Amino acid sequence: MLGAFVRAFRTPDLRNKLLFTLFILTIYRLGSVIPAPGINPDAIRQCLQGAQTEDTTGLYSLVNLFSGGALLQLAIFALGIMPYITASIILNLLTVVIPRLEALKKEGQAGQAKITQYTRYLTVALALLQSTSIIAMARTGQLFQGACPPSSYMPSEDLLTLITIVFVMTAGTCVIMWFGELITERGVGNGMSLLIFTTVVAVFPSSMARIWSEQSPWIFAIICVAGLVLIAGVVFMEQAQRRIPVQYAKRMVGRRMYGGSSTYIPLKVNQAGVIPVIFASSLLYLPQLAIGLLGQDSDNPVVDFLSTYFGPTGTHPVYMASFFALIVGFAFFYVAITFNPAEVADNMKKYGGFIPGIRPGRPTAEYLDFVLTRLTTPGALYLGLIALLPMLALGASGASGNFPFGGTSILIMVGVGLDTVKQIESHLQQRNYEGFLR
Amino acid sequence: MVLGLSIVLMICSVLLVLLVLLHKGKGGGLSDLFGGGVTSSLGGSSVVERNLDRLTIITGLIWVVCAVVLGLLINRGA
């Protein structure tokens, strides 16, 4: 394990990539502690300490998770990559609905580049929208649930300062987007997911320290062990895959012999990754946004209904049930979008491949569909359970609301971590293979 | 002073957004977020991209310095 690290740093190419990635991540973390102009950092810190004693699963928990706590500090990178994620989700859903986008997606690389460009434009628009709404919430004091007077952390309230903050936050989101692309291009791993990874991990030490100071050592130990077991379980489930054997027929093209190899199609149990959880949480965040917009204490029946069933604490059984159902539904939906059995079967037929015992063409597609559906069922249930876990823990114990191993964060940590390690490994293998031949 | 810095900061922000959007988008959206396939982009960056990078970095530095100085000024003033 350590040897691999040493080897990774001995390879000059890989070392540069790793250092570049670390450098960008450091700048990103630095930017998320610099407060936006017109914000008093000391006052904010005091407000945070006051608010943290209340529940942590508050209104902006998910958004705050994706910004690594930068949102509640109103930093220049306050929005994090949330706008980019939202934009990608929206465009992903729209590809199913809008025929033009679907055509672009089928075009391959060029079309994909165009869709990426649309995502970027949408990100800027969303960033503008979100920063405006956050500033509006901060000004009315809603950001800290009224625990703190807004005049303390926003000393100057003139329009110029507010507009400047909105501009700065929007530009910050763009810079983050660029960072992500830079890491993808010149660093190791996928930039966007690495940035999410850092933000998720960044909140970890502080929440662990809080548990250490608030609870007895025994509870701390139990939480640590539970977290480790959970991580191991998630790794196990993420790696689980079914390999469907594929045999390629030998064929002669001119004097060369092609094919004749037997490979397999890996079908993961959790083919969709964390995306269903993120979809579901962003959808369930909408009612809370509506409550915030309509005003918390109006006697509007809609607000009343929303706040009883979909309130900010999110521990009502109806909320949990709909969260679970949404995750399961989205898992199937997303797998259906990303893996098209008919297309795979068609491609296999074209290159003379077949699954032993099954005819090529439509029977293969039907078989793949059957296997995939059967495989996704436990995968989707597992995703839902993992995501519900913090809420269940919250409901069961009541007091220990600050369980740091939230389902979404563990899924993200494990998923991104595994992916990055795999990429580093493939880089290493390239090197070693070369050295071996020499 | 505050007014001038605010205006500079806003101009910088707009410039930064435009410069970032001018870059060619890398990374294929959500599908390779969170563990998708390995997308290898062959071919180095062109001259245009390199100049864009340089411009973006300079603008970004000015932007950060402006933001910090303005924040300090407003907090001192209030």
Side-chain angles (χ1 to χ4, degrees), chain A residues 54-102:
Chain A
E54 291 167 33
D55 66 313
T56 42
T57 50
L59 180 56
Y60 266 111
S61 60
L62 182 84
V63 189
N64 197 33
L65 172 75
F66 282 127
S67 65
L71 174 71
L72 287 183
Q73 286 176 19
L74 294 174
I76 53 175
F77 285 171
L79 294 177
I81 15 179
M82 200 57 189
Y84 188 83
I85 297 174
T86 322
S88 323
I89 290 175
I90 290 173
L91 270 176
N92 234 296
L93 291 179
L94 282 185
T95 36
V96 189
V97 185
I98 300 179
R100 187 178 139 63
L101 283 177
E102 206 184 338

Short mmCIF file of all heavy atoms in Angstrom, two decimals, chain A residues 54-102:
data_model
loop_
_atom_site.label_atom_id
_atom_site.label_comp_id
_atom_site.label_asym_id
_atom_site.label_seq_id
_atom_site.Cartn_x
_atom_site.Cartn_y
_atom_site.Cartn_z
N GLU A 54 -28.32 23.97 17.39
CA GLU A 54 -29.61 23.48 16.92
C GLU A 54 -29.39 22.33 15.94
O GLU A 54 -28.30 21.81 15.84
CB GLU A 54 -30.38 24.63 16.26
CG GLU A 54 -30.80 25.68 17.28
CD GLU A 54 -31.27 26.95 16.59
OE1 GLU A 54 -31.84 26.82 15.50
OE2 GLU A 54 -31.05 28.03 17.13
N ASP A 55 -30.44 21.97 15.24
CA ASP A 55 -30.28 20.79 14.39
C ASP A 55 -29.40 21.09 13.19
O ASP A 55 -29.37 22.20 12.67
CB ASP A 55 -31.65 20.30 13.92
CG ASP A 55 -32.32 21.30 13.01
OD1 ASP A 55 -32.32 22.51 13.36
OD2 ASP A 55 -32.81 20.91 11.97
N THR A 56 -28.63 20.08 12.76
CA THR A 56 -27.75 20.27 11.64
C THR A 56 -28.40 19.85 10.33
O THR A 56 -27.87 20.10 9.27
CB THR A 56 -26.46 19.44 11.80
OG1 THR A 56 -26.84 18.17 12.30
CG2 THR A 56 -25.50 20.11 12.72
N THR A 57 -29.54 19.21 10.41
CA THR A 57 -30.21 18.81 9.18
C THR A 57 -31.16 19.90 8.74
O THR A 57 -32.26 19.64 8.29
CB THR A 57 -30.98 17.50 9.37
OG1 THR A 57 -31.76 17.64 10.55
CG2 THR A 57 -30.07 16.33 9.48
N GLY A 58 -30.75 21.12 8.92
CA GLY A 58 -31.61 22.27 8.65
C GLY A 58 -31.87 22.48 7.18
O GLY A 58 -31.60 21.61 6.34
N LEU A 59 -32.35 23.63 6.89
CA LEU A 59 -32.87 23.95 5.57
C LEU A 59 -31.83 23.70 4.48
O LEU A 59 -32.11 23.07 3.48
CB LEU A 59 -33.30 25.42 5.58
CG LEU A 59 -33.86 25.95 4.27
CD1 LEU A 59 -35.04 25.11 3.85
CD2 LEU A 59 -34.29 27.39 4.46
N TYR A 60 -30.62 24.18 4.72
CA TYR A 60 -29.66 24.15 3.63
C TYR A 60 -28.66 23.04 3.75
O TYR A 60 -27.57 23.12 3.20
CB TYR A 60 -28.92 25.49 3.58
CG TYR A 60 -29.57 26.45 2.63
CD1 TYR A 60 -30.22 27.57 3.07
CD2 TYR A 60 -29.53 26.19 1.26
CE1 TYR A 60 -30.82 28.42 2.20
CE2 TYR A 60 -30.13 27.03 0.38
CZ TYR A 60 -30.77 28.16 0.85
OH TYR A 60 -31.37 29.00 -0.03
N SER A 61 -29.00 21.97 4.51
CA SER A 61 -27.98 20.99 4.84
C SER A 61 -27.32 20.42 3.59
O SER A 61 -26.10 20.31 3.53
CB SER A 61 -28.58 19.87 5.67
OG SER A 61 -29.60 19.24 4.97
N LEU A 62 -28.12 20.07 2.59
CA LEU A 62 -27.52 19.43 1.41
C LEU A 62 -26.66 20.42 0.65
O LEU A 62 -25.54 20.12 0.27
CB LEU A 62 -28.62 18.88 0.51
CG LEU A 62 -28.03 18.17 -0.70
CD1 LEU A 62 -27.69 16.75 -0.36
CD2 LEU A 62 -28.95 18.24 -1.87
N VAL A 63 -27.21 21.62 0.46
CA VAL A 63 -26.46 22.63 -0.27
C VAL A 63 -25.19 22.97 0.49
O VAL A 63 -24.12 23.13 -0.09
CB VAL A 63 -27.33 23.88 -0.46
CG1 VAL A 63 -26.64 24.84 -1.40
CG2 VAL A 63 -28.69 23.51 -0.98
N ASN A 64 -25.32 23.04 1.81
CA ASN A 64 -24.15 23.36 2.61
C ASN A 64 -23.13 22.24 2.56
O ASN A 64 -21.93 22.47 2.57
CB ASN A 64 -24.58 23.63 4.05
CG ASN A 64 -23.51 24.37 4.81
OD1 ASN A 64 -22.80 25.17 4.23
ND2 ASN A 64 -23.38 24.06 6.07
N LEU A 65 -23.63 21.00 2.47
CA LEU A 65 -22.74 19.85 2.36
C LEU A 65 -21.89 19.97 1.10
O LEU A 65 -20.69 19.75 1.11
CB LEU A 65 -23.55 18.56 2.33
CG LEU A 65 -22.79 17.29 2.03
CD1 LEU A 65 -22.01 16.88 3.25
CD2 LEU A 65 -23.73 16.19 1.62
N PHE A 66 -22.54 20.38 0.00
CA PHE A 66 -21.81 20.45 -1.26
C PHE A 66 -20.92 21.66 -1.35
O PHE A 66 -20.15 21.79 -2.27
CB PHE A 66 -22.79 20.43 -2.44
CG PHE A 66 -23.28 19.06 -2.72
CD1 PHE A 66 -24.62 18.79 -2.80
CD2 PHE A 66 -22.39 18.03 -2.88
CE1 PHE A 66 -25.07 17.53 -3.04
CE2 PHE A 66 -22.83 16.75 -3.11
CZ PHE A 66 -24.18 16.50 -3.20
N SER A 67 -21.04 22.59 -0.40
CA SER A 67 -20.12 23.72 -0.43
C SER A 67 -19.12 23.61 0.70
O SER A 67 -18.33 24.52 0.92
CB SER A 67 -20.89 25.03 -0.34
OG SER A 67 -21.52 25.10 0.91
N GLY A 68 -19.13 22.50 1.44
CA GLY A 68 -18.14 22.28 2.49
C GLY A 68 -18.20 23.31 3.59
O GLY A 68 -17.19 23.72 4.12
N GLY A 69 -19.40 23.75 3.94
CA GLY A 69 -19.55 24.72 5.01
C GLY A 69 -19.26 26.14 4.57
O GLY A 69 -19.33 27.06 5.37
N ALA A 70 -18.92 26.32 3.28
CA ALA A 70 -18.60 27.67 2.82
C ALA A 70 -19.85 28.52 2.70
O ALA A 70 -19.80 29.74 2.83
CB ALA A 70 -17.89 27.60 1.46
N LEU A 71 -20.99 27.86 2.48
CA LEU A 71 -22.22 28.61 2.25
C LEU A 71 -22.60 29.41 3.49
O LEU A 71 -22.89 30.59 3.42
CB LEU A 71 -23.35 27.64 1.90
CG LEU A 71 -24.70 28.30 1.78
CD1 LEU A 71 -24.76 29.15 0.55
CD2 LEU A 71 -25.80 27.29 1.77
N LEU A 72 -22.55 28.73 4.64
CA LEU A 72 -22.98 29.41 5.86
C LEU A 72 -21.96 30.43 6.32
O LEU A 72 -22.23 31.23 7.20
CB LEU A 72 -23.28 28.39 6.96
CG LEU A 72 -24.58 27.62 6.71
CD1 LEU A 72 -24.87 26.68 7.85
CD2 LEU A 72 -25.74 28.57 6.51
N GLN A 73 -20.76 30.40 5.73
CA GLN A 73 -19.79 31.44 6.05
C GLN A 73 -19.89 32.58 5.06
O GLN A 73 -19.16 33.57 5.18
CB GLN A 73 -18.37 30.87 6.02
CG GLN A 73 -18.06 30.00 7.21
CD GLN A 73 -16.69 29.38 7.09
OE1 GLN A 73 -15.86 29.84 6.34
NE2 GLN A 73 -16.46 28.32 7.83
N LEU A 74 -20.77 32.43 4.08
CA LEU A 74 -20.92 33.43 3.01
C LEU A 74 -19.57 33.78 2.40
O LEU A 74 -19.21 34.93 2.25
CB LEU A 74 -21.61 34.68 3.55
CG LEU A 74 -23.05 34.46 4.00
CD1 LEU A 74 -23.59 35.70 4.64
CD2 LEU A 74 -23.91 34.07 2.82
N ALA A 75 -18.82 32.74 2.06
CA ALA A 75 -17.50 32.95 1.46
C ALA A 75 -17.65 33.29 -0.01
O ALA A 75 -18.75 33.28 -0.55
CB ALA A 75 -16.67 31.68 1.63
N ILE A 76 -16.49 33.61 -0.65
CA ILE A 76 -16.58 33.95 -2.07
C ILE A 76 -16.89 32.71 -2.89
O ILE A 76 -17.44 32.80 -3.97
CB ILE A 76 -15.30 34.63 -2.59
CG1 ILE A 76 -14.06 33.82 -2.27
CG2 ILE A 76 -15.16 36.02 -2.05
CD1 ILE A 76 -12.81 34.40 -2.88
N PHE A 77 -16.55 31.52 -2.37
CA PHE A 77 -16.93 30.29 -3.06
C PHE A 77 -18.15 29.67 -2.38
O PHE A 77 -18.27 28.46 -2.29
CB PHE A 77 -15.78 29.27 -3.02
CG PHE A 77 -14.67 29.58 -3.97
CD1 PHE A 77 -13.48 28.88 -3.93
CD2 PHE A 77 -14.81 30.57 -4.93
CE1 PHE A 77 -12.45 29.17 -4.81
CE2 PHE A 77 -13.79 30.87 -5.81
CZ PHE A 77 -12.61 30.17 -5.74
N ALA A 78 -19.04 30.51 -1.90
CA ALA A 78 -20.13 30.02 -1.06
C ALA A 78 -20.99 28.98 -1.78
O ALA A 78 -21.48 28.03 -1.16
CB ALA A 78 -21.01 31.17 -0.62
N LEU A 79 -21.19 29.16 -3.08
CA LEU A 79 -22.13 28.27 -3.76
C LEU A 79 -21.52 26.91 -4.07
O LEU A 79 -22.24 25.96 -4.31
CB LEU A 79 -22.60 28.91 -5.06
CG LEU A 79 -23.43 30.16 -4.85
CD1 LEU A 79 -23.78 30.77 -6.18
CD2 LEU A 79 -24.68 29.81 -4.10
N GLY A 80 -20.19 26.85 -4.06
CA GLY A 80 -19.56 25.57 -4.37
C GLY A 80 -19.89 25.12 -5.77
O GLY A 80 -20.05 25.93 -6.68
N ILE A 81 -20.03 23.81 -5.96
CA ILE A 81 -20.32 23.29 -7.29
C ILE A 81 -21.78 22.95 -7.43
O ILE A 81 -22.19 22.33 -8.39
CB ILE A 81 -19.49 22.05 -7.60
CG1 ILE A 81 -18.90 21.55 -6.32
CG2 ILE A 81 -18.46 22.34 -8.63
CD1 ILE A 81 -18.12 20.35 -6.51
N MET A 82 -22.57 23.32 -6.42
CA MET A 82 -24.00 22.96 -6.48
C MET A 82 -24.67 23.44 -7.77
O MET A 82 -25.40 22.67 -8.38
CB MET A 82 -24.71 23.53 -5.25
CG MET A 82 -26.02 22.87 -4.94
SD MET A 82 -25.87 21.10 -4.71
CE MET A 82 -27.59 20.66 -4.65
N PRO A 83 -24.42 24.68 -8.22
CA PRO A 83 -25.06 25.10 -9.47
C PRO A 83 -24.70 24.19 -10.64
O PRO A 83 -25.56 23.84 -11.44
CB PRO A 83 -24.53 26.52 -9.69
CG PRO A 83 -24.15 26.99 -8.36
CD PRO A 83 -23.68 25.79 -7.60
N TYR A 84 -23.43 23.78 -10.69
CA TYR A 84 -23.01 22.90 -11.80
C TYR A 84 -23.73 21.57 -11.73
O TYR A 84 -24.21 21.05 -12.74
CB TYR A 84 -21.50 22.69 -11.75
CG TYR A 84 -20.97 21.96 -12.96
CD1 TYR A 84 -20.70 22.64 -14.13
CD2 TYR A 84 -20.77 20.58 -12.92
CE1 TYR A 84 -20.23 21.97 -15.24
CE2 TYR A 84 -20.31 19.91 -14.04
CZ TYR A 84 -20.04 20.61 -15.18
OH TYR A 84 -19.59 19.94 -16.29
N ILE A 85 -23.83 21.02 -10.51
CA ILE A 85 -24.53 19.74 -10.36
C ILE A 85 -25.98 19.88 -10.78
O ILE A 85 -26.51 19.07 -11.55
CB ILE A 85 -24.44 19.25 -8.91
CG1 ILE A 85 -22.99 18.98 -8.53
CG2 ILE A 85 -25.24 17.99 -8.72
CD1 ILE A 85 -22.84 18.63 -7.09
N THR A 86 -26.62 20.95 -10.29
CA THR A 86 -28.03 21.16 -10.64
C THR A 86 -28.18 21.30 -12.15
O THR A 86 -29.09 20.70 -12.74
CB THR A 86 -28.56 22.42 -9.95
OG1 THR A 86 -28.01 22.50 -8.65
CG2 THR A 86 -30.06 22.39 -9.86
N ALA A 87 -27.28 22.07 -12.76
CA ALA A 87 -27.37 22.25 -14.21
C ALA A 87 -27.20 20.92 -14.93
O ALA A 87 -27.94 20.62 -15.88
CB ALA A 87 -26.30 23.24 -14.67
N SER A 88 -26.26 20.09 -14.47
CA SER A 88 -26.07 18.79 -15.13
C SER A 88 -27.31 17.93 -14.98
O SER A 88 -27.72 17.26 -15.93
CB SER A 88 -24.89 18.03 -14.55
OG SER A 88 -23.86 18.85 -14.23
N ILE A 89 -27.89 17.96 -13.78
CA ILE A 89 -29.09 17.15 -13.56
C ILE A 89 -30.19 17.61 -14.50
O ILE A 89 -30.84 16.81 -15.18
CB ILE A 89 -29.56 17.26 -12.10
CG1 ILE A 89 -28.59 16.55 -11.17
CG2 ILE A 89 -30.95 16.67 -11.95
CD1 ILE A 89 -28.93 16.72 -9.72
N ILE A 90 -30.38 18.93 -14.58
CA ILE A 90 -31.46 19.46 -15.42
C ILE A 90 -31.23 19.04 -16.87
O ILE A 90 -32.14 18.53 -17.54
CB ILE A 90 -31.53 20.99 -15.30
CG1 ILE A 90 -32.03 21.38 -13.92
CG2 ILE A 90 -32.43 21.57 -16.37
CD1 ILE A 90 -31.99 22.84 -13.64
N LEU A 91 -30.00 19.21 -17.36
CA LEU A 91 -29.75 18.88 -18.76
C LEU A 91 -29.90 17.38 -19.00
O LEU A 91 -30.37 16.95 -20.05
CB LEU A 91 -28.36 19.34 -19.17
CG LEU A 91 -28.39 20.77 -19.71
CD1 LEU A 91 -27.01 21.25 -20.02
CD2 LEU A 91 -29.25 20.85 -20.96
N ASN A 92 -29.50 16.57 -17.99
CA ASN A 92 -29.63 15.13 -18.12
C ASN A 92 -31.09 14.73 -18.25
O ASN A 92 -31.45 13.86 -19.04
CB ASN A 92 -29.03 14.46 -16.89
CG ASN A 92 -28.00 13.45 -17.28
OD1 ASN A 92 -28.33 12.47 -17.91
ND2 ASN A 92 -26.77 13.70 -16.93
N LEU A 93 -31.94 15.38 -17.45
CA LEU A 93 -33.36 15.06 -17.52
C LEU A 93 -33.94 15.58 -18.83
O LEU A 93 -34.81 14.94 -19.43
CB LEU A 93 -34.10 15.69 -16.34
CG LEU A 93 -33.79 15.08 -14.98
CD1 LEU A 93 -34.56 15.80 -13.89
CD2 LEU A 93 -34.15 13.61 -14.97
N LEU A 94 -33.45 16.74 -19.27
CA LEU A 94 -34.01 17.33 -20.49
C LEU A 94 -33.67 16.52 -21.73
O LEU A 94 -34.41 16.55 -22.70
CB LEU A 94 -33.51 18.76 -20.66
CG LEU A 94 -34.20 19.80 -19.77
CD1 LEU A 94 -33.71 21.18 -20.12
CD2 LEU A 94 -35.71 19.72 -19.94
N THR A 95 -32.54 15.78 -21.70
CA THR A 95 -32.18 15.00 -22.89
C THR A 95 -33.26 13.96 -23.20
O THR A 95 -33.41 13.55 -24.34
CB THR A 95 -30.85 14.24 -22.71
OG1 THR A 95 -30.77 13.81 -21.38
CG2 THR A 95 -29.69 15.09 -23.06
N VAL A 96 -33.98 13.54 -22.16
CA VAL A 96 -35.04 12.57 -22.41
C VAL A 96 -36.24 13.26 -23.05
O VAL A 96 -36.96 12.68 -23.86
CB VAL A 96 -35.45 11.89 -21.09
CG1 VAL A 96 -36.38 10.74 -21.34
CG2 VAL A 96 -34.23 11.42 -20.36
N VAL A 97 -36.44 14.51 -22.68
CA VAL A 97 -37.66 15.21 -23.09
C VAL A 97 -37.50 15.91 -24.43
O VAL A 97 -38.35 15.82 -25.31
CB VAL A 97 -38.07 16.23 -22.00
CG1 VAL A 97 -39.39 16.87 -22.35
CG2 VAL A 97 -38.15 15.55 -20.65
N ILE A 98 -36.38 16.63 -24.58
CA ILE A 98 -36.21 17.46 -25.78
C ILE A 98 -35.49 16.67 -26.86
O ILE A 98 -34.38 16.18 -26.65
CB ILE A 98 -35.43 18.75 -25.45
CG1 ILE A 98 -36.20 19.55 -24.39
CG2 ILE A 98 -35.21 19.58 -26.69
CD1 ILE A 98 -35.51 20.81 -23.97
N PRO A 99 -36.11 16.53 -28.02
CA PRO A 99 -35.52 15.70 -29.08
C PRO A 99 -34.18 16.24 -29.58
O PRO A 99 -33.29 15.47 -29.92
CB PRO A 99 -36.55 15.75 -30.21
CG PRO A 99 -37.72 16.48 -29.70
CD PRO A 99 -37.43 17.03 -28.36
N ARG A 100 -34.03 17.59 -29.59
CA ARG A 100 -32.79 18.17 -30.10
C ARG A 100 -31.60 17.75 -29.24
O ARG A 100 -30.54 17.39 -29.74
CB ARG A 100 -32.91 19.68 -30.12
CG ARG A 100 -31.74 20.33 -30.80
CD ARG A 100 -31.88 21.83 -30.87
NE ARG A 100 -30.61 22.47 -30.59
CZ ARG A 100 -29.52 22.31 -31.34
NH1 ARG A 100 -29.56 21.54 -32.39
NH2 ARG A 100 -28.39 22.92 -31.03
N LEU A 101 -31.82 17.77 -27.93
CA LEU A 101 -30.73 17.37 -27.03
C LEU A 101 -30.41 15.88 -27.20
O LEU A 101 -29.24 15.48 -27.14
CB LEU A 101 -31.11 17.66 -25.58
CG LEU A 101 -31.01 19.12 -25.15
CD1 LEU A 101 -31.48 19.28 -23.73
CD2 LEU A 101 -29.58 19.60 -25.28
N GLU A 102 -31.46 15.10 -27.42
CA GLU A 102 -31.24 13.67 -27.60
C GLU A 102 -30.41 13.42 -28.85
O GLU A 102 -29.49 12.59 -28.85
CB GLU A 102 -32.60 12.97 -27.70
CG GLU A 102 -32.54 11.53 -27.26
CD GLU A 102 -33.86 10.84 -27.45
OE1 GLU A 102 -34.90 11.54 -27.52
OE2 GLU A 102 -33.85 9.60 -27.54
#
